[in-house]
Amino acid sequence: MNLNNIKTKFFLIFTAISIIPILIITKISYNSYTNLVSKQISLIASNTVSSSVERLDNILLDIGRITSSFQQYSVETYNWATGNTVADELKKFSNPSANVSDYDLYISRKHMNFIFKNLVSSYNYLNGIYIFTPGGYNITYTNRNDLKPDYKPFNDDWYKNTVENNGILYASDFSKKNFLIHETDSIFFSRALYDYQTLEFLGVILLDCSIDIFKGLDKDLVPNSTNIYVINEDGKIIFDNTMAQIGQQLSDDIYTKTKEQSEGNFSSDNKQLLTVFKSLPNYKWKVVASISINELSKQFEPTKKLILYISITCAIIFVILSFILSKHLTKPITELSTIMSKNVSHKLVTTKKYLKRNDEIGVLYNEYNNMINEINTFIKESYQNRLITLDSQMKALEAQINSHFLYNTLESINSIAEIEEVESIAIISKALGDMFRYAIKTKSELVSLNEELAHVNNYLEIQKIRYDNKFSYTFDIEENLKNEKILKLILQPIVENSLYHGLEHKRDHGELKIRGFSENNLIFLEVSDNGLGASPEQVEEINNLLNQEPKITDLGRRDKQSIGIKNIHSRIQLYYGNDYGLTFESRENLGTKVTIRIPKL
């Protein structure tokens, strides 16, 4: 698609006018629906957790009622006519020094047997009920798992914690219990029993429960999208609906965020996972639900797709209408454009189509015949003049550089000739001759980097004699660059600047380094010295000069500028383009570095 084509522009305008409102409406509708979906997902998650918390709280309330009121149950139901309560029976065993016979223990167990049996049959998650008295006796009822013989709980942590709780319910982890004959996974709840009148410690009741106690917590979960956990205050998982992580530690990320608050929600995994948590009202447990937003969002995907399908259908219809309308309006202009493109040989249009129209189209067709010759002439003259100007300017720049150097070199030869009468003059003369031969080569604007370096080396040999070896120089050039073609006479003037402005007035020994390397199909040539450098104001002035475009006042001539890095910068930009040229860096009393940046050819 040609963006300069008027038909394309009309098409884009009509399309934009029709499509932009559709996009705005679609975006608003889609975002509104997405926000509604997010709120629904959060509501579902909160309701799920709240329902689970309520169910679990009811279960724990049942456990609490059983354990707290157990000692108040009357045993007279069993036709013993004693009028005793469970607490009365337990008092018999509260004193470790009391003389209790096996028959007494048998009778008490029998008195309580109906209560035990009724409770176990009423709650299908109860594995058994165990009472441990201070006297070391135990009264149990179970239809699944008995205590190990002679088991005494007094030194176990759970027993100590239960007694220390002073009547508050204690809950264990879901794990194997080593005091039961069959060490199966279960969770138990225990509470210390006291006489309500005398507050005498009567023992500890323990209710051992199976995993079925948590049955129904995941009743309202969306399948395959929600994981629900019950964790204790340490972040240990007591229950999870997949049954795969029970007994493990909740992930640090989730536990850290849920630890300090009683309830809340947060997103993780780039907002793909919503976690909702809530504490139980009377316990240190939390219910945590992690919900996959992607999975839940799938339920709402059809509506989202419907919104997009409607928008896309409307957009396609408007695009087709925009194309038809733009083609109809621009057909005459397109035909005129086609005719103009065929008349590159300066032949006038011969068609008479649309010439009789009275609108702008007719004017365009009639005026075209009168304008084509002038346009072609203007284009021809403009391009030719531009090429002449550029060629002349580049030759003028070279001439300025060559003449300037000739003057300085001859001055050096003259000075040496007055002082010395030895071979130094011969060395200078040969080097100078090589330089002149190199400078006047006109076969091509391009030379190899090796040739340019040889030219610089001749120049530096002359200057070393002139300055009586006041400075030394080194070349550090990558081997693969030495045969690369570069623009002629762009390196020596920069070296000359380094000598005259950096090293000439330096009191101690000067060092000059010329480095060449390639990077990303570019050639970099660095000329650096340890000379006097330039002040920040001078650096800014030079950089401003480099950023100015060359000003042409006549063919091959520029405004008055100093010969040096600006000339080189102008030549490089005229030849390679404005993306290339010089960069200047300098620090006062530390030295200067000039970098040439040109492309590989």
Side-chain angles (χ1 to χ4, degrees):
M1 180 181 289
N2 185 2
L3 295 179
N4 294 322
N5 190 314
I6 192 170
K7 182 175 71 173
T8 302
K9 292 180 180 179
F10 270 112
F11 171 71
L12 292 177
I13 291 171
F14 293 148
T15 301
I17 292 173
S18 56
I19 295 299
I20 290 176
I22 293 176
L23 292 177
I24 293 174
I25 294 173
T26 301
K27 182 175 179 57
I28 293 173
S29 301
Y30 190 86
N31 288 344
S32 298
Y33 186 74
T34 302
N35 291 334
L36 179 62
V37 169
S38 298
K39 291 179 181 178
Q40 289 296 324
I41 291 174
S42 297
L43 182 61
I44 290 172
S46 298
N47 290 341
T48 298
V49 172
S50 296
S51 298
S52 299
V53 167
E54 185 178 353
R55 292 190 183 97
L56 184 57
D57 189 50
N58 288 336
I59 293 171
L60 294 178
L61 285 175
D62 287 340
I63 296 292
R65 282 193 295 268
I66 294 172
T67 55
S68 62
S69 60
F70 184 80
Q71 64 267 41
Q72 298 179 20
Y73 290 156
S74 173
V75 297
E76 64 183 3
T77 311
Y78 316 108
N79 296 323
W80 292 94
T82 63
N84 289 344
T85 62
V86 170
D88 295 328
E89 292 293 328
L90 294 178
K91 286 179 183 178
K92 301 175 184 178
F93 311 101
S94 61
N95 188 351
S97 61
N99 186 16
V100 178
S101 66
D102 291 340
Y103 179 77
D104 294 331
L105 187 61
Y106 167 77
I107 294 298
S108 293
R109 286 175 177 168
K110 192 168 184 179
H111 286 177
M112 299 182 200
N113 186 64
F114 182 79
I115 300 173
F116 288 150
K117 187 174 182 180
N118 187 49
L119 290 174
V120 171
S121 61
S122 299
Y123 301 96
N124 58 0
Y125 52 77
L126 279 179
N127 292 331
I129 303 175
Y130 310 87
I131 297 177
F132 302 93
T133 67
Y137 303 100
N138 60 73
I139 302 172
T140 65
Y141 179 86
T142 176
N143 55 7
R144 302 183 187 179
N145 207 354
D146 289 323
L147 287 172
K148 289 183 178 179
D150 300 325
Y151 170 68
K152 304 297 180 185
F154 306 120
N155 293 324
D156 288 355
D157 290 339
W158 72 264
Y159 185 88
K160 294 177 182 178
N161 290 333
T162 302
V163 174
E164 289 174 1
N165 280 351
N166 294 321
I168 298 174
L169 192 67
Y170 171 82
S172 73
D173 295 331
F174 190 82
S175 59
K176 290 180 170 53
K177 306 301 179 292
N178 57 9
F179 53 82
L180 298 176
I181 293 177
H182 304 293
E183 297 184 9
T184 57
D185 289 327
S186 64
I187 182 172
F188 69 76
F189 301 88
S190 58
R191 188 194 296 271
L193 300 177
Y194 298 90
D195 187 331
Y196 285 116
Q197 295 179 350
T198 65
L199 298 181
E200 178 186 357
F201 177 58
L202 302 178
V204 171
I205 183 171
L206 182 148
L207 304 183
D208 186 51
C209 305
S210 68
I211 194 65
D212 291 340
I213 192 173
F214 299 110
K215 191 174 183 180
L217 290 187
D218 54 354
K219 180 179 179 182
D220 298 327
L221 299 186
V222 179
N224 303 320
S225 65
T226 307
N227 286 337
I228 191 165
Y229 309 95
V230 178
I231 63 171
N232 63 15
E233 58 183 323
D234 298 323
K236 193 170 184 180
I237 298 174
I238 299 172
F239 168 78
D240 86 288
N241 59 313
T242 64
M243 306 296 289
Q245 300 183 57
I246 295 177
Q248 299 179 16
Q249 197 72 20
L250 192 65
S251 67
D252 291 339
D253 181 49
I254 297 178
Y255 177 62
T256 301
K257 293 178 180 178
T258 60
K259 183 178 180 181
E260 301 299 332
Q261 301 181 53
S262 60
E263 61 179 291
N265 63 79
F266 57 88
S267 298
S268 56
D269 292 345
N270 294 325
K271 296 186 178 180
Q272 297 303 309
L273 192 69
L274 176 65
T275 301
V276 182
F277 61 94
K278 187 173 183 180
S279 299
L280 270 73
N282 301 310
Y283 300 92
K284 295 181 180 180
W285 287 359
K286 280 188 176 74
V287 176
V288 181
S290 293
I291 300 175
S292 172
I293 296 177
N294 278 342
E295 291 295 329
L296 277 181
S297 296
K298 288 180 181 179
Q299 301 179 22
F300 304 95
E301 284 301 317
T303 305
K304 288 184 178 180
K305 289 180 179 178
L306 181 61
I307 294 173
L308 294 178
Y309 290 156
I310 293 174
S311 301
I312 292 171
T313 302
C314 292
I316 291 173
I317 293 173
F318 281 118
V319 168
I320 294 172
L321 291 176
S322 299
F323 177 78
I324 295 172
L325 187 58
S326 63
K327 183 177 181 180
H328 175 73
L329 291 176
T330 61
K331 183 178 180 182
I333 300 175
T334 304
E335 290 184 4
L336 178 59
S337 175
T338 303
I339 294 170
M340 292 175 67
S341 64
K342 290 180 180 179
N343 280 280
V344 293
S345 60
H346 312 294
K347 293 182 181 179
L348 297 177
V349 63
T350 57
T351 181
K352 295 184 180 180
K353 194 174 184 180
Y354 303 115
L355 292 178
K356 295 182 179 181
R357 288 181 59 161
N358 296 323
D359 56 7
E360 290 82 356
I361 300 299
V363 174
L364 286 174
Y365 272 82
N366 281 287
E367 289 296 325
Y368 171 73
N369 290 336
N370 298 325
M371 294 177 60
I372 188 167
N373 286 327
E374 297 179 9
I375 293 174
N376 287 334
T377 301
F378 172 78
I379 293 174
K380 178 180 178 182
E381 291 178 355
S382 177
Y383 274 100
Q384 286 178 346
N385 290 340
R386 179 62 177 162
L387 291 174
I388 292 171
T389 299
L390 292 178
D391 183 62
S392 299
Q393 185 184 2
M394 292 184 68
K395 290 180 179 178
L397 289 172
E398 287 185 23
Q400 288 181 15
I401 295 171
N402 293 338
S403 62
H404 183 76
F405 174 69
L406 174 62
Y407 174 81
N408 288 327
T409 304
L410 290 176
E411 184 183 15
S412 300
I413 295 174
N414 184 49
S415 299
I416 296 172
E418 290 178 358
I419 298 172
E420 296 189 40
E421 298 178 357
V422 281
E423 59 193 41
S424 57
I425 296 178
I427 294 173
I428 292 177
S429 300
K430 183 178 185 312
L432 182 59
D434 291 341
M435 293 180 67
F436 280 153
R437 278 192 295 274
Y438 177 77
I440 63 176
K441 284 173 62 177
T442 58
K443 185 176 181 181
S444 173
E445 287 291 326
L446 298 177
V447 296
S448 69
L449 179 57
N450 244 347
E451 293 176 296
E452 183 76 0
L453 292 173
H455 180 66
V456 172
N457 189 69
N458 285 329
Y459 171 77
L460 289 172
E461 286 299 317
I462 292 173
Q463 298 297 353
K464 280 188 69 175
I465 295 173
R466 177 188 175 189
Y467 289 107
D468 194 20
N469 292 315
K470 184 181 178 181
F471 71 91
S472 59
Y473 64 91
T474 58
F475 290 90
D476 181 12
I477 309 296
E478 292 182 357
E479 284 296 327
N480 61 327
L481 293 182
K482 292 185 177 180
N483 293 321
E484 291 288 338
K485 295 293 183 181
I486 66 170
L487 193 61
K488 186 173 68 174
L489 292 174
I490 61 173
L491 200 53
Q492 179 269 329
I494 299 175
V495 173
E496 181 178 347
N497 274 348
S498 291
L499 289 178
Y500 289 162
H501 300 293
L503 301 178
E504 183 174 20
H505 300 291
K506 183 178 175 66
R507 292 184 179 180
D508 50 356
H509 187 73
E511 294 182 1
L512 181 70
K513 182 175 181 180
I514 301 170
R515 179 171 175 245
F517 61 95
S518 61
E519 186 177 305
N520 297 331
N521 212 31
L522 296 174
I523 297 174
F524 293 89
L525 300 174
E526 292 181 352
V527 178
S528 57
D529 63 67
N530 65 342
L532 300 179
S535 66
E537 293 78 13
Q538 291 173 321
V539 173
E540 183 179 3
E541 182 180 353
I542 292 173
N543 283 325
N544 289 337
L545 182 64
L546 291 178
N547 290 330
Q548 294 176 5
E549 293 185 1
K551 297 178 181 178
I552 307 298
T553 58
D554 197 358
L555 287 180
R557 298 187 63 186
R558 297 165 56 242
D559 286 341
K560 294 180 180 179
Q561 299 279 5
S562 63
I563 297 174
I565 63 173
K566 176 59 180 174
N567 283 353
I568 302 304
H569 186 67
S570 299
R571 289 186 61 214
I572 290 173
Q573 288 197 329
L574 287 171
Y575 193 87
Y576 293 107
N578 291 335
D579 292 335
Y580 307 98
L582 306 185
T583 55
F584 182 83
E585 304 172 50
S586 184
R587 295 180 65 184
E588 202 164 7
N589 297 322
L590 293 178
T592 301
K593 181 171 75 174
V594 179
T595 304
I596 301 174
R597 180 177 182 267
I598 58 176
K600 285 186 177 181
L601 298 179

